[in-house]
Amino acid sequence: MGGLGGASARVRRIASYALFAFSVILALVFAAPVFAGDGTLVDAGFEAGTDAAALSTPPWINVGTTLRREYDNTRAAAGTQSAWIQGPASASFAGVAESQSASMTADGSEIRFWLYQETTTTPRRFYDNIAAGGTYGSHLVLLAADGTIQVNMAKAALPAGYALGYNVVGTQSTGWTQYRITHDFSNQTITLSTRKNSSDAWTGLKSATAATYDIPMRGSATVTRTGGLAFSASTSGNFWLDELRYDAAGITDPVPDTTPPTSPAAGIAADVAADQGGALSLSWTPATDNIGVTGYKLYRGISAGTYDSVTTTTLTAANLSGLLTDTRYYFAVSALDAAGNEGEKSPEFSAVPTDDIAPAIPAGLSGSAQGANRVSVSWSANAESDLAGYDVYRDGVKINGALVTGTSYLDSGLATSTAYAYSVCARD
């Protein structure tokens, strides 16, 4: 004898860990800070050029015939591109020159740039591009094949420590090096300095026997202005040039930002409604910074005050999935700025992901007598991905012990000549 019917109930589902994903709620876009006294950037720092295309004219002009003078995206001191210059195969020097930094006449006028060398065994040089009336400009710096840095003198009378021709003032290194040239036209001197990182102090260069870091200007006649910088190499020497800046009033290094952002004041975590569990929705109040917030660190754990997962985002909200259902998760958020400063964590907030969707009522329920005191009940399988099994009811009373994982159940020990009503409930 068999009865037809159906009922449903819901239980919580425990999901395994999985990677969680963020959904875009509110993007925070912050511009990089611009500091006063940064100087004028020649050729937009090479960022506007096309990789492998020849350097733009203007501001660049050819000085001799090079093997290469092009924009390059394989390396950069800042941004994504630099200028790649390769001298001729011969011992002659050739390269490029720019005119944007020309005509500075004030004491304290400054030029600085980054230069990358793979080796220090082929000669390269940079110089003030004036060649009128025997003046020769304010300086000529040779990065010699022996690894030294040398300055060339053309004056008839020179202070102690300098002589006509080339004078060693320092030692080269591979990789990126920043050079700085500061002009003193009143005293006809320059200072030449280098550093390996923008946060480093400058290292002044001079002849070993010179009393000061004031290097005589090269010109044999009085030098009254800058002529723009020229860069060249020989014997197939490569170098990369980036971030060439100039300013008649000098360039001021930005003051390092050591101030961290504020802490996000509050966070909210909530279960995602009408889902099968494992998902939470988070949001928090934006932080502030003296320059600008660039992102947030999201800390997560399953014990209060202990975090086993840290992710970063530029948003002020996140949707998480793949969490353990019916497990409380604890969160805290801190803010970041462009200098890498991290603020204090927000007050901790938490939530529990729950399964809010019950399985469907099983369909196709049927029953048939199996002898004098047994009934076989069967039904169609449910399609839910989180289905755990089924409970079978006789006359409203559950008769199975453990959940039935198949789609049939044999009920035995029944009275003969008696009608029974069966129903089946799916559980997740």
Side-chain angles (χ1 to χ4, degrees):
M1 309 283 289
L4 301 179
S8 68
R10 56 182 294 274
V11 296
R12 304 291 184 229
R13 177 177 66 90
I14 297 179
S16 60
Y17 274 111
L19 293 176
F20 61 86
F22 291 102
S23 66
V24 175
I25 304 297
L26 173 64
L28 302 179
V29 179
F30 302 96
V34 177
F35 297 93
D38 271 356
T40 300
L41 193 61
V42 173
D43 198 6
F46 307 106
E47 295 302 303
T50 300
D51 180 47
L55 294 179
S56 297
T57 303
W60 299 101
I61 60 172
N62 293 339
V63 180
T65 302
T66 59
L67 293 177
R68 194 184 301 271
R69 51 175 187 86
E70 63 192 45
Y71 298 98
D72 181 60
N73 64 12
T74 60
R75 56 172 53 93
T80 59
Q81 289 201 138
S82 62
W84 183 3
I85 299 155
Q86 184 177 21
S90 69
S92 300
F93 280 90
V96 294
E98 56 82 25
S99 56
Q100 281 185 247
S101 67
S103 301
M104 293 191 295
T105 60
D107 292 343
S109 59
E110 181 179 330
I111 301 173
R112 61 174 65 178
F113 57 89
W114 288 92
L115 189 143
Y116 184 97
Q117 301 181 119
E118 293 177 310
T119 69
T120 60
T121 56
T122 54
R124 306 162 180 89
R125 66 185 185 183
F126 56 89
Y127 55 93
D128 189 21
N129 194 34
I130 292 179
T135 297
Y136 297 123
S138 64
H139 64 276
L140 186 155
V141 178
L142 173 68
L143 306 179
D146 63 1
T148 60
I149 302 172
Q150 303 179 17
V151 293
N152 182 265
M153 297 290 104
K155 293 183 182 299
L158 290 162
Y162 294 96
L164 288 174
Y166 286 98
N167 299 257
V168 174
V169 295
T171 303
Q172 305 170 48
S173 63
T174 57
W176 286 108
T177 300
Q178 190 176 27
Y179 288 84
R180 179 180 67 176
I181 303 133
T182 305
H183 303 82
D184 183 349
F185 294 100
S186 296
N187 293 300
Q188 291 292 283
T189 60
I190 65 164
T191 58
L192 178 63
S193 309
T194 62
R195 63 184 178 183
K196 295 299 290 182
N197 298 286
S198 58
S199 59
D200 294 344
W202 289 100
T203 298
L205 305 182
K206 69 180 184 65
S207 169
T209 57
T212 72
Y213 290 95
D214 296 320
I215 299 173
M217 284 188 175
R218 180 185 181 228
S220 55
T222 300
V223 181
T224 60
R225 65 179 179 88
T226 59
L229 270 187
F231 300 86
S232 60
S234 69
T235 57
S236 302
N238 281 295
F239 64 90
W240 284 260
L241 176 67
D242 205 1
E243 291 290 290
L244 172 57
R245 295 178 182 271
Y246 66 94
D247 198 298
I251 300 172
T252 303
D253 284 324
V255 176
D257 176 18
T258 59
T259 303
T262 63
S263 169
I268 299 173
D271 178 45
V272 175
D275 72 341
Q276 292 184 329
L280 292 175
S281 176
L282 311 180
S283 62
W284 51 90
T285 54
T288 60
D289 185 67
N290 62 318
I291 296 176
V293 174
T294 58
Y296 296 90
K297 276 188 177 181
L298 176 61
Y299 294 83
R300 185 190 78 190
I302 56 175
S303 298
T306 301
Y307 307 110
D308 54 17
S309 173
V310 182
T311 57
T312 58
T313 177
T314 57
L315 315 179
T316 57
N319 286 337
L320 312 185
S321 60
L323 305 177
L324 289 174
T325 300
D326 292 332
T327 298
R328 181 167 293 277
Y329 284 85
Y330 298 86
F331 302 94
V333 180
S334 64
L336 305 170
D337 66 17
N341 298 310
E342 180 179 0
E344 294 292 326
K345 295 184 182 69
S346 69
E348 191 172 72
F349 54 104
S350 67
V352 178
T354 60
D355 182 351
D356 305 307
I357 301 177
I361 296 173
L365 183 64
S366 64
S368 61
Q370 301 292 313
N373 57 0
R374 295 189 305 173
V375 170
S376 176
V377 183
S378 62
W379 56 91
S380 301
N382 278 44
E384 291 84 2
S385 61
D386 64 339
L387 185 73
Y390 304 90
D391 283 328
V392 181
Y393 294 79
R394 182 201 320 127
D395 295 334
V397 178
K398 187 168 80 77
I399 57 176
N400 59 294
L403 281 175
V404 178
T405 57
T407 56
S408 64
Y409 182 80
L410 182 63
D411 188 18
S412 59
L414 304 174
T416 59
S417 302
T418 302
Y420 296 99
Y422 291 88
S423 61
V424 176
C425 172
R427 296 187 181 275
D428 60 11

